[in-house]
Amino acid sequence: MSLDEFVGQEHFLYEGSLLYNSIKNKSFDSAIFFGPSGTGKTTLARIIANEMDGNYTEINASTTGTKELKSLIDEAKLRFYGLENKTTYVYIDEFHRWNKLQQDSLLKALEEGVIKFIGSTTENPYFAINNAIISRVRNIYEFKRLSVENIRKILLRALQDKEKGFGNLNVKFDEEAINILAELSNGDARVSLDTLGFIVDNLDLEKMITKELVAEAMQRKIGFYDKGDDRYNLLSALQKSVRGSDPDAAIHYFARLVDGGADIQMIGRRLMVMASEDVGMAYPSAISIVTSCVQAALMVGYPEAVINLTQAVILLASAPKSNAAYMAYEEAMSDIKHRKIDDMPDHLKDTHYKGAKDLGFGEGYKYPHAYGGYVKQQYLPDNLYREGKKYYKPTSNGSEASFKKFLEELEKRYGNH
């Protein structure tokens, strides 16, 4: 596969992007790829090595130890300093599995240019990879789950490509079946291609790939497609029922989502948004409880996961409601985008660097804890402060009533704060 055939990750790889140009110009250096499985990390590493005309070695950190790495580096040195004078590209999958000593063993070879390194991980590299490696690898790219259209493009190519796909078999397929397979793959190209391969390998070639075969291969319900329900309409109905404090309607639409084949992540993400958007400060604990329910659901999986998710749905629908926190953000962002805002007051600026005090930064700041927890002073920029701007407008619903009372008492006692 060539660079121009690569599908997905358009947020950093497109014709004319810095990464694209660095590969075409053969100036690509080491990099770390991180993100979910099946999003193209290994494929892109192989394309880069091919484009760069370097020697390419692919290893997995879970099965390769320090001894094997030392041998690999020794061979790379011979290649680099010998007659070939070539850099070796080393792709290390699951790089986060190596301990500090193993990761550090790469450092000298990286600094000398003996190897160019592409590390792949499903973990956040800033937590899973040593700082010494991070500081020497300038480029860190986050791979995101592929869109349904990306997966669809990959599947159609596999069905039609005569050299590397199933093109010579002339497999007949229903477009809807391919769309459903793309939907159910959850952004993972490997899952979609493995499933397609399983279907084609076991398909009577006189027959067609249908949505029923896709459902059978993936062992998943496809109720959305059988009953005409649209998952996004159902999610919308679920949220609006929760917002309207109707637990019966909410649980009805939740059940239809499960019956239709919606995965835990799809439902869980929407529930966690609702906890802050629609319940918010009226019951601040909702987000913690709902997050715990979603995490529990992910751990136990279907079918038991519905028990955890049901609790979250009922809690949200039955809780007092307020969107005041979310609306405060919306109004603040609108001002930032559409108004000229004065600079922040000097006494709020950072003083932790040389010369800050000479500029008057931090001067006159009153530390609230030294005054019993509150002291009146200006926090908003000058023009907003003069207007007495209020973004957060608490309701009297649920727990938010106590926050409202506290802020109103401060206002009454100290005036504009």
Side-chain angles (χ1 to χ4, degrees):
M1 181 186 289
S2 71
L3 184 61
D4 294 316
E5 292 176 306
F6 183 80
V7 176
Q9 313 312 326
E10 295 89 351
H11 56 291
F12 64 73
L13 185 61
Y14 52 88
E15 189 172 353
S17 71
L18 292 175
L19 177 58
Y20 181 94
N21 289 344
S22 73
I23 298 167
K24 287 295 185 182
N25 297 336
K26 303 190 186 301
S27 60
F28 174 85
D29 205 0
S30 298
I32 292 171
F33 296 163
F34 81 100
S37 299
T39 51
K41 299 187 294 295
T42 304
T43 300
L44 184 56
R46 290 171 180 168
I47 289 171
I48 289 169
N50 186 56
E51 292 272 354
M52 301 294 288
D53 300 326
N55 190 274
Y56 177 71
T57 302
E58 192 173 308
I59 59 177
N60 190 297
S62 62
T63 56
T64 304
T66 309
K67 183 180 177 183
E68 291 89 348
L69 178 62
K70 185 178 182 302
S71 174
L72 186 155
I73 291 172
D74 287 343
E75 289 174 13
K77 283 181 178 177
L78 287 173
R79 199 173 293 115
F80 185 71
Y81 294 114
L83 293 175
E84 287 184 73
N85 193 23
K86 271 191 175 181
T87 296
T88 300
Y89 285 86
V90 182
Y91 175 68
I92 306 176
D93 196 12
E94 298 188 80
F95 186 63
H96 61 277
R97 292 184 179 273
W98 271 354
N99 60 34
K100 185 178 186 302
L101 182 64
Q102 288 171 310
Q103 290 186 25
D104 285 348
S105 61
L106 275 175
L107 290 176
K108 194 163 186 287
L110 277 173
E111 289 170 346
E112 292 175 351
V114 168
I115 64 171
K116 300 287 186 185
F117 155 73
I118 302 175
S120 168
T121 174
T122 54
E123 306 290 327
N124 186 327
Y126 294 101
F127 295 106
I129 296 176
N130 292 349
N131 287 336
I133 296 285
I134 295 285
S135 68
R136 287 165 176 79
V137 179
R138 182 178 67 252
N139 301 309
I140 298 177
Y141 297 100
E142 180 181 5
F143 282 63
K144 297 180 180 177
R145 291 191 182 279
L146 299 177
S147 68
V148 172
E149 186 52 40
N150 285 154
I151 298 283
R152 187 176 174 281
K153 191 182 293 184
I154 290 167
L155 290 171
L156 290 174
R157 180 190 291 164
L159 284 165
Q160 295 161 357
D161 191 316
K162 292 187 176 181
E163 289 185 17
K164 293 173 278 187
F166 304 114
N168 291 317
L169 298 177
N170 296 314
V171 178
K172 295 186 285 293
F173 58 90
D174 180 359
E175 286 276 354
E176 188 183 18
I178 300 304
N179 292 341
I180 292 172
L181 177 52
E183 287 266 6
L184 294 181
S185 297
N186 197 26
D188 188 323
R190 190 178 294 120
V191 167
S192 70
L193 289 170
D194 286 349
T195 304
L196 180 65
F198 174 70
I199 294 171
V200 172
D201 287 345
N202 298 284
L203 179 72
D204 181 341
L205 292 179
E206 296 301 311
K207 295 182 178 178
M208 176 183 288
I209 298 176
T210 63
K211 63 183 182 181
E212 289 76 20
L213 283 176
V214 169
E216 181 185 341
M218 299 199 79
Q219 287 296 290
R220 291 277 297 278
K221 292 183 178 182
I222 55 170
F224 292 126
Y225 306 93
D226 291 336
K227 298 175 185 176
D229 275 340
D230 179 272
R231 66 188 66 193
Y232 299 106
N233 283 337
L234 287 174
L235 286 168
S236 175
L238 170 62
Q239 182 161 8
K240 286 168 182 169
S241 299
V242 164
R243 188 180 292 149
S245 297
D246 188 334
D248 302 301
I251 209 68
H252 169 79
Y253 292 116
F254 165 67
R256 279 170 67 173
L257 278 162
V258 174
D259 182 62
D263 60 40
I264 295 168
Q265 284 186 327
M266 172 182 284
I267 299 170
R269 281 195 295 265
R270 184 60 70 99
L271 293 176
M272 287 191 286
V273 168
M274 284 188 259
S276 291
E277 181 183 348
D278 296 309
V279 174
M281 295 296 289
Y283 184 39
S285 298
I287 183 63
S288 300
I289 298 169
V290 169
T291 300
S292 295
C293 287
V294 173
Q295 288 174 338
L298 288 167
M299 287 180 69
V300 302
Y302 282 138
E304 290 87 352
V306 298
I307 300 169
N308 309 111
L309 295 176
T310 295
Q311 179 184 348
V313 170
I314 297 294
L315 173 87
L316 291 171
S318 306
K321 306 295 187 298
S322 172
N323 72 341
Y326 174 56
M327 295 311 294
Y329 165 79
E330 288 283 287
E331 191 176 341
M333 182 56 75
S334 177
D335 275 354
I336 289 165
K337 287 184 175 179
H338 302 114
R339 294 187 54 181
K340 183 180 185 303
I341 306 292
D342 290 344
D343 194 11
M344 68 186 72
D346 284 347
H347 61 267
L348 296 186
K349 293 179 179 177
D350 182 34
T351 59
H352 293 93
Y353 62 93
K354 191 175 179 181
K357 288 189 177 179
D358 294 338
L359 296 170
F361 294 172
E363 191 175 327
Y365 172 66
K366 296 174 184 176
Y367 186 57
H369 298 294
Y371 294 84
Y374 178 80
V375 61
K376 183 180 177 182
Q377 65 184 325
Q378 178 183 340
Y379 293 100
L380 279 169
D382 287 343
N383 57 339
L384 298 180
Y385 182 74
R386 286 193 298 269
E387 291 172 25
K389 187 69 178 183
K390 298 288 184 190
Y391 291 114
Y392 179 48
K393 302 174 182 79
T395 70
S396 297
N397 300 339
S399 299
E400 194 163 37
S402 61
F403 297 107
K404 181 180 182 182
K405 183 180 177 184
F406 170 73
L407 293 171
E408 285 176 347
E409 286 178 355
L410 289 179
E411 184 78 24
K412 193 183 298 181
R413 186 180 303 177
Y414 298 102
N416 187 2
H417 60 92

